[in-house]
Amino acid sequence: MLPQLPQRGHGSSDEIAFAGVQRRRHRIHEPLLPEGTLPLQPLLARRRHVDPDTAPIDVVAAAFGGFSSLAPIAAEDEATAASISLVLLSAAMVVGRYVGGAMSDRVGPGRMLLPSLLVAVSGAVVLVFAVLGGVSPLLLSVGAVALGVGFGICQNDSLVTVFSAAGP
């Protein structure tokens, strides 16, 4: 059993020192949030804008996550096509990262974000049409490749942009 340091009372809440770490323990009658606020309001109030450096990777990563999680469900009749599209997606991401690095070296950081976002979104749109009214293995593969290349380029360029913004 670890040694417990003595408790010290401070007004409406207690501070406990346990193994060198101080924690605050709220009493039950104290509200944790101001009256009339929802739990997410304090978090949303802190972030009032979208960071343009991370917005493209956020969008593309959400599309990637959605496709990689839901492709086997959406294409359950064509399990082989879904599996092949996931392999193609991963391979296309590697190619996209390589192409994104080469292009970023040539044109500068941040200039490939919009084109990569357009490629990835077009791939996501093709994937939507691939599963509407029955699964089309060809469209599933084409959409996965476009999403993968777009995601790879966007991931690489976003990383280089953030590093450039941070400085040496």
Side-chain angles (χ1 to χ4, degrees):
M1 185 168 157
L2 294 173
Q4 188 170 10
L5 300 176
Q7 295 182 1
R8 298 177 306 200
H10 288 283
S12 62
S13 64
D14 291 334
E15 207 172 276
I16 300 173
F18 180 74
V21 178
Q22 292 188 355
R23 297 179 184 169
R24 293 187 62 83
R25 181 179 57 188
H26 294 278
R27 292 189 182 171
I28 294 174
H29 60 81
E30 290 181 30
L32 295 175
L33 295 171
E35 189 86 20
T37 60
L38 296 174
L40 290 180
Q41 283 177 338
L43 292 175
L44 295 175
R46 286 187 214 139
R47 182 149 186 152
R48 294 185 181 165
H49 69 282
V50 175
D51 188 359
D53 292 333
T54 61
I57 192 66
D58 294 343
V59 170
V60 176
F64 167 74
F67 177 68
S68 63
S69 299
L70 301 174
I73 296 169
E76 69 180 319
D77 296 338
E78 294 282 341
T80 304
S83 300
I84 290 171
S85 69
L86 289 171
V87 169
L88 290 172
L89 174 73
S90 297
M93 284 173 52
V94 172
V95 171
R97 287 184 193 118
Y98 181 79
V99 169
M103 294 302 293
S104 183
D105 284 343
R106 289 186 183 173
V107 299
R111 297 190 184 232
M112 294 301 297
L113 289 176
L114 183 60
S116 68
L117 189 61
L118 294 174
V119 170
V121 167
S122 66
V125 169
V126 169
L127 288 171
V128 168
F129 287 113
V131 296
L132 285 177
V135 177
S136 168
L138 178 64
L139 284 180
L140 205 61
S141 298
V142 169
V145 168
L147 177 61
V149 168
F151 183 45
I153 294 172
C154 186
Q155 189 177 34
N156 189 309
D157 205 30
S158 293
L159 184 68
V160 172
T161 301
V162 170
F163 284 163
S164 296

